[in-house]
Amino acid sequence: MRFTTGSLILSIASVSVSVSGLPLESRQQPPSGCHVDLAPTLSQPQNAASNILYHTLSKWASTSESSYVSSDILDMKNTPYSVTFKTNVDPNFQTAEQIGAVLEKWVGTYLVGGETAEIDDYAITGFACS
């Protein structure tokens, strides 16, 4: 196999472009707040991320009675079946203690169905605040 100077330069350039496009390892701490653990009722839930986001915000709006409902309050980066409510975002729920007081009522219920599971639902198994 023969390499010309031009093909060698192109090869090196393509490698450096693909390496520079790699995501950097994040050294940021997870946001402070309350981490909620969910367990899917199906072995392969459909559209998990969007369903968890939508139904978490819906449940938050109905149980917290907060006038502030935005996906900004949530961090969904940690694990596939969990969500973290961030502190200092919702003006009515600034602290982990305030958020935890609402989430306490969620444990043992379902994200979509409430007291009974719906098809493709998520059991709320626990939460921890930091």
Side-chain angles (χ1 to χ4, degrees):
M1 190 164 164
R2 283 184 34 189
F3 287 100
T4 63
T5 305
S7 66
L8 185 58
I9 290 172
L10 287 175
S11 296
I12 291 170
S14 68
V15 169
S16 66
V17 168
S18 60
V19 170
S20 66
L22 292 175
L24 297 175
E25 182 179 326
S26 175
R27 303 223 186 267
Q28 294 179 340
Q29 295 293 323
S32 62
C34 296
H35 182 84
V36 180
D37 296 313
L38 305 170
T41 57
L42 296 177
S43 61
Q44 294 186 339
Q46 302 297 309
N47 304 314
S50 60
N51 283 339
I52 290 171
L53 174 65
Y54 174 78
H55 292 293
T56 300
L57 288 173
S58 295
K59 190 169 187 90
W60 179 256
S62 66
T63 59
S64 71
E65 298 178 1
S66 176
S67 57
Y68 182 88
V69 178
S70 168
S71 61
D72 292 344
I73 65 174
L74 302 177
D75 179 10
M76 298 180 60
K77 297 176 190 159
N78 294 331
T79 60
Y81 304 118
S82 70
V83 63
T84 299
F85 283 85
K86 297 184 275 188
T87 57
N88 300 315
V89 178
D90 184 331
N92 302 308
F93 295 88
Q94 291 285 302
T95 68
E97 291 79 20
Q98 292 171 318
I99 296 167
V102 175
L103 298 178
E104 239 174 6
K105 302 168 192 158
W106 289 22
V107 177
T109 67
Y110 293 90
L111 194 57
V112 180
E115 296 299 318
T116 57
E118 297 286 325
I119 296 173
D120 201 7
D121 206 340
Y122 298 86
I124 302 167
T125 59
F127 76 96
C129 296
S130 61

